[in-house]
Every structure is written in C-alpha cells, then in structure tokens.
Amino acid sequence: MEVLTVLFAICLICVDSLTLNDLYPYPYDNVSTADDLLLHRNDDGSSSAILFSFPYFTTIRTSAYVNTNGDITFANSLSTFTPSAFPSSSFVMIAGFWTDITTINEGQIWYKLSTNPELLNLTGSDVQSGFPGQEDFIPSFVFIVTWSEVPYYGASGGQFLLRNTFQIVLTTDGTKSFVMLHYLKLDWARNAMVGFNAGDGISSYTVNGSLSDDVINLVYRSNVGVPGKFLFRVDGAAIQPAGETVSYDDGTASQTFTDTCCCLMVEENYKGNHRATVRTTNPIDIALSRSRTPY
C-alpha cells in the first residue's frame, strides 16, 4: 500500500494540466467576437438572465445566470459567496468553483452562447468521445463561461498574485444535456464547492475534493483521461460522469452505482434518510446524496 501511495504522488506531480489551447475559445487576449460577453467588474454580482432551454435533473430550465462566485444558477441569480454542501433546496446550480471571487480590480468573466458550426462539432466530438454510444448526439448550442485569472475576495500582498482560470461548458440536443468542467489554473482553494445541485433538497452530485484545500488538485484529475477536464451527463434524475453508469429505481427505492473501470458495484435498499458515497479507482469519486421520507 505504501508503494502505491508513493507512485500515485509522483504521477500526480508529473502530469501536465490543460493549456489555453485546450479550453473552449474565450477572449483571453481581449480580442472578442460579437457573441463574447464580458461580465461587468463586481463583487458578488451576476449577469442578466440568459435565455435557452436546457434539460437539467429531469426539468427543462429556460433561464440561466452567470454568477461572479464561480457558478451558474437557473431561474434566479445568486450572490451568496460562502459555499455550502449539496444538496440544497435554496438554488439550482452548476458549481464550477463556487467560493468568494471578486473581479473589482483584476480578473475577467467571459460568457458566450453559440451555434457556431466549428464549436458545435468540437462539443459533439467531446461528448461522443467521453460517452460511447452517443454517436447520434448533435448539439443545438454551446454555452461557455470562463473565469479568467480571478483572485479571491480579500487577497492581499503576495496572495493577490494567486489566480484561478476555469470554465463551465453546457451543451444539449434538446433532450440529452452535458456539462464540461475545465481547470486551466487553480492557485487557491478557499474551500470551493464543485458539483451539481437540483434545488429540491434531494438530488445532487459533489465532485471529490470540494469544500477542502484538495479542490485545487482538480487541475491534475479527470474522468476523461485529460488532466483538468471533466464531462458529465446532467439531464437525468442522477448525474452521470463520463466512464460511469448511475441508475435510480424509484419503484424499489434502490440506488446502483457501477464503476466501469474497476467493475465495482454497490447497491443499497433503504428506507428513510440515506447518504451513499462510493469510492472508485477513477481520478474522481462519486458523492451522491438523497433524502427520502420514511415509508
């Protein structure tokens, strides 16, 4: 066991993270196109409503907000800067790196809703590569949000030089929906939350490392074999990471998680409140929570 731990640490240090060329396009050089929008400098602010239809946790969401603090919310904007654990009934969220971010003096947040054929081809190719069997997936749009070189609120001195750059990418064909999370650079953690929240207080998905300093290691991790890149299907009752299958049977109140890499399957039947965490040999772990009213 000790030998395996040492080897893992060495691999983690040696693996390169993403480069600018690996990210979906955004105006990192401030040369923008017509559909590139820059969020105004602010602290705890949000964009105006961005209108598109996106199936998320079995519900069609029709308006999204880009929030400065590292997340996208549906139906309502969110100014909350202190991250909390999922699930929550207070908001419907995709958390790329939810924590206290400010762009008052430095950093930028770019977003773009696009039907550009080259971008759609890129998006479709990424989904098809991560999810075998999705060769028929043809995206109708791609929505890209990039937090570029953002500092954390209250940083001063040398800490102010620490910056994070990451992306949330949404795409759908109107029925199936996928989200990509890209981490180019994570210099600071601030107990950020990363994952998906349905807003019903029941269904959510938390990426391992969230709410701890370990979250900065997402630049070295992946579920698609590319350090810093993650892909999830998000239209169903449970979030499905690339390389995993997750099913939920309401009739028997059982959850089944199958890890396709290590052939690990855990199935539990339960009554009442339940929390299940399944550790896998994949670079990320599943942490899925459900709360049920007792029979």
Side-chain angles (χ1 to χ4, degrees):
M1 183 64 70
E2 292 180 358
V3 173
L4 290 175
T5 302
V6 171
L7 288 175
F8 175 77
I10 291 173
C11 290
L12 191 65
I13 293 170
C14 294
V15 170
D16 292 330
S17 60
L18 298 177
T19 68
L20 274 174
N21 291 332
D22 296 318
L23 296 185
Y24 276 46
Y26 76 97
Y28 61 87
D29 53 3
N30 289 316
V31 178
S32 60
T33 58
D35 55 0
D36 287 308
L37 299 176
L38 178 63
L39 188 62
H40 60 282
R41 292 200 174 279
N42 73 87
D43 181 44
D44 303 331
S46 304
S47 69
S48 56
I50 303 149
L51 304 181
F52 55 79
S53 293
F54 187 76
Y56 186 57
F57 278 109
T58 71
T59 300
I60 304 295
R61 304 295 174 180
T62 57
S63 62
Y65 295 82
V66 175
N67 302 305
T68 296
N69 291 318
D71 61 85
I72 296 171
T73 48
F74 296 98
N76 297 290
S77 60
L78 186 71
S79 61
T80 303
F81 55 84
T82 302
S84 57
F86 294 163
S88 170
S89 59
S90 299
F91 47 77
V92 182
M93 176 187 286
I94 297 172
F97 204 83
W98 176 31
T99 190
D100 199 357
I101 295 171
T102 181
T103 60
I104 289 292
N105 297 306
E106 295 290 340
Q108 295 179 322
I109 301 172
W110 291 94
Y111 59 101
K112 152 188 323 213
L113 181 63
S114 178
T115 57
N116 177 280
E118 291 185 7
L119 270 180
L120 294 183
N121 287 337
L122 172 63
T123 307
S125 178
D126 274 349
V127 169
Q128 293 160 15
S129 296
F131 284 90
Q134 294 295 337
E135 289 77 11
D136 61 341
F137 178 75
I138 301 175
S140 55
F141 69 82
V142 59
F143 182 56
I144 307 164
V145 186
T146 308
W147 286 259
S148 177
E149 294 289 320
V150 292
Y152 66 85
Y153 178 82
S156 61
Q159 296 295 306
F160 187 67
L161 300 178
L162 301 179
R163 302 296 170 83
N164 288 358
T165 297
F166 59 94
Q167 280 185 336
I168 302 177
V169 179
L170 280 62
T171 191
T172 184
D173 63 1
T175 302
K176 293 174 286 189
S177 297
F178 299 87
V179 171
M180 282 172 270
L181 304 178
H182 297 153
Y183 299 95
L184 175 69
K185 175 183 178 181
L186 296 176
D187 287 345
W188 54 268
R190 306 296 286 184
N191 295 322
M193 182 66 181
V194 180
F196 305 88
N197 187 61
D200 58 4
I202 298 172
S203 299
S204 68
Y205 180 99
T206 298
V207 172
N208 193 44
S210 294
L211 300 177
S212 74
D213 288 343
D214 184 50
V215 74
I216 64 172
N217 288 316
L218 291 178
V219 294
Y220 304 114
R221 296 173 180 160
S222 178
N223 64 359
V224 293
V226 180
K229 186 178 182 73
F230 298 81
L231 173 63
F232 304 86
R233 183 173 175 180
V234 300
D235 55 272
I239 300 298
Q240 181 183 350
E244 312 264 355
T245 58
V246 179
S247 62
Y248 179 71
D249 185 345
D250 282 316
T252 61
S254 68
Q255 291 176 298
T256 302
F257 305 86
T258 303
D259 183 282
T260 56
C261 289
C262 64
C263 299
L264 168 68
M265 184 173 73
V266 177
E267 179 172 348
E268 298 193 36
N269 293 289
Y270 63 94
K271 294 182 179 181
N273 294 330
H274 174 77
R275 177 177 178 86
T277 300
V278 180
R279 300 289 181 183
T280 80
T281 56
N282 276 354
I284 62 170
D285 297 326
I286 298 174
L288 178 65
S289 300
R290 288 185 180 273
S291 180
R292 283 292 204 178
T293 302
Y295 295 124

